[in-house]
Amino acid sequence: MRFNTRAIHAGDQVDALTGAICQPIIQSSTFVQEDIGVTRGYDYSRAGNPTRTALEANLASLEGARFGHAFSSGLAALQGLMHLLKQGDHLVCSAGVYGGTWRFLTKVMAPWGLKTDFVDTADVEAVRAAFTPATRMLLVETPTNPMMRLSDIRALADLCQAHGVLLVVDNTFLSPYFQNPLDLGADVVLHSCTKYLGGHSDLIMGALMHSREDLHEALAFVQKSAGAVPGPFECFLLLRSTKTLGVRMERHFENALRVAHFLDESEAVTRVYYPGLESHPQYELAHRQMRGFGGMLSFELKDYQAARTVATHLQVFSLAESLGGVESLINHPAGMTHASVPKAEREAYGLTDALLRLSVGIEDVEDLVEDLALALAKI
Ligand code: P1T
């Protein structure tokens, strides 16, 4: 079946007992056993819950995966993956990832004993050079947040396979509607479901999707034993959202492309970062591995003061962290989502104090363009 049909139907969503067209919220922490250890498939909701099972099947289907594992946030999903590693292992990660990912790896995992090197994963040779005999995992964010730098997933998958390294791709920015890393050879896809999959800025959740039996067993064990799993109500909300992912993504993309062209032509804007613009240095790769360019873009103004003026003079865009909801947001990465990354480190990959990031929503695009035009005129 095709994407939108799977998004609506995958996960056996019709309730077998009542015929309810929507998956019920099984708001129960525990399940009655018929004899000691004899269950009807569920014993305790940390290990598994029917609403979560339906969601996990749906999420797996969106990425063309066999298995899905839901976690209580995107970072909890990343933490779940880390439980597959041991002290002394080495991780290579894209330079320029979400600030929270950087903070988790450098401030939580490094003291624990996992060494991470951040490299420009757009440069396959640089990744090869960063691999050591202890390297177990390559974590790639493509496009990166917020610089929209792309990595060639297929080339990295070939490299990882040759070195026995697990390739994990954070596909949050594009959603499974526009990019499917598993089809390009990745081992695991990570999502912050808080973003496009949720789509309405009303839940926090994460997920891992993959097709490997060994990882399925290991990650189900991590969910049960470490416990960072979502509750049934959150699972229901996310199931409700994924049904409309396709139509939302089409509109995010259409609006973002229009906004990107508008900003590109604005004299106050020094640079626009959007893979759908021909000026993007990886426009050709974008066409090759993505089916659309998504709703995220960043742009640079002349200095911090100009960025602050624009960020605080918008009426339709809200100044807030996060992304992927139906409403448009503006973020100042240096002062908000990436504030924990030292200035020198972020400036090395282009994230200056003059940069703003947009999560372009699905409002009427003329209102978005007018809003930006009025704010830019205040500089
Ligand atoms: O917020 P959480 O659901 O834990 O997901 C973390 C995360 C992981 N990966 C990417 C690419 C992300 O962008 C995020 C979260 N990002 C934001 C909150 C933000 O405003 O960029």
Side-chain angles (χ1 to χ4, degrees), residues 141-219:
E141 206 179 85
T142 179
T144 55
N145 174 0
M147 302 311 299
M148 308 303 293
R149 188 151 174 81
L150 310 182
S151 295
D152 184 334
I153 298 170
R154 196 177 288 282
L156 292 172
D158 290 345
L159 180 70
C160 285
Q161 203 166 20
H163 288 77
V165 169
L166 195 78
L167 175 59
V168 180
V169 176
D170 184 331
N171 200 24
T172 299
F173 260 38
L174 288 178
S175 90
Y177 187 70
F178 284 137
Q179 178 170 273
N180 297 116
L182 299 180
D183 291 347
L184 300 168
D187 296 295
V188 179
V189 173
L190 184 150
H191 278 281
S192 167
C193 307
T194 314
K195 316 302 182 214
Y196 288 107
L197 290 169
H200 298 75
S201 307
D202 55 7
L203 63 86
I204 300 267
M205 210 191 293
L208 300 172
M209 293 84 133
H210 65 90
S211 294
R212 279 176 43 175
E213 203 77 55
D214 58 333
L215 289 181
H216 176 56
E217 204 173 309
L219 290 169

Side-chain angles (χ1 to χ4, degrees), residues 72-313:
S72 54
S73 69
L75 285 180
L78 181 61
Q79 184 178 30
L81 265 180
M82 294 301 125
H83 289 302
L84 304 181
L85 303 178
K86 59 183 189 326
Q87 289 184 330
D89 283 350
H90 178 239
L91 177 82
V92 177
C93 179
S94 301
V97 286
Y98 165 55
T101 300
W102 181 89
R103 184 177 55 201
F104 173 67
L105 293 172
T106 57
K107 309 288 184 204
V108 178
M109 293 312 297
W112 174 83
L114 181 82
K115 184 176 181 325
T116 299
D117 279 313
F118 294 89
V119 305
D120 176 11
T121 49
D123 180 348
V124 179
E125 286 315 309
V127 177
R128 190 196 307 274
F131 280 179
T132 74
T135 309
R136 295 285 170 270
M137 192 182 286
L138 173 63
L139 175 61
V140 174
E141 206 179 85
T142 179
T144 55
N145 174 0
M147 302 311 299
M148 308 303 293
R149 188 151 174 81
L150 310 182
S151 295
D152 184 334
I153 298 170
R154 196 177 288 282
L156 292 172
D158 290 345
L159 180 70
C160 285
Q161 203 166 20
H163 288 77
V165 169
L166 195 78
L167 175 59
V168 180
V169 176
D170 184 331
N171 200 24
T172 299
F173 260 38
L174 288 178
S175 90
Y177 187 70
F178 284 137
Q179 178 170 273
N180 297 116
L182 299 180
D183 291 347
L184 300 168
D187 296 295
V188 179
V189 173
L190 184 150
H191 278 281
S192 167
C193 307
T194 314
K195 316 302 182 214
Y196 288 107
L197 290 169
H200 298 75
S201 307
D202 55 7
L203 63 86
I204 300 267
M205 210 191 293
L208 300 172
M209 293 84 133
H210 65 90
S211 294
R212 279 176 43 175
E213 203 77 55
D214 58 333
L215 289 181
H216 176 56
E217 204 173 309
L219 290 169
F221 183 77
V222 166
Q223 284 178 298
K224 177 172 79 173
S225 309
V229 291
F233 182 65
E234 261 70 20
C235 294
F236 164 82
L237 270 184
L238 187 53
L239 259 178
R240 188 180 194 272
S241 297
T242 56
K243 293 178 203 289
T244 56
L245 181 66
V247 287
R248 285 188 281 110
M249 291 314 296
E250 291 286 357
R251 177 66 169 250
H252 281 295
F253 172 27
E254 189 187 315
N255 283 2
L257 189 61
R258 174 74 203 287
V259 167
H261 281 295
F262 164 76
L263 292 171
D264 208 27
E265 283 156 20
S266 165
E267 286 191 356
V269 174
T270 52
R271 194 156 167 196
V272 181
Y273 298 88
Y274 184 64
L277 290 181
E278 276 178 48
S279 56
H280 191 283
Q282 298 160 300
Y283 185 68
E284 184 274 326
L285 173 61
H287 269 278
R288 194 153 27 97
Q289 75 180 13
M290 297 149 56
R291 290 185 294 276
F293 307 117
M296 296 302 298
L297 62 91
S298 296
F299 63 103
E300 201 172 51
L301 298 167
K302 67 177 190 308
D303 55 23
Y304 170 73
Q305 207 43 53
R308 186 166 172 226
T309 299
V310 170
T312 54
H313 282 85

Side-chain angles (χ1 to χ4, degrees), residues 45-76:
S45 280
R46 172 159 31 75
N49 171 284
T51 318
R52 197 175 98 208
T53 302
L55 171 70
E56 291 179 332
N58 183 264
L59 292 175
S61 171
L62 296 180
E63 282 289 6
R66 285 180 64 203
F67 305 109
H69 301 268
F71 289 86
S72 54
S73 69
L75 285 180

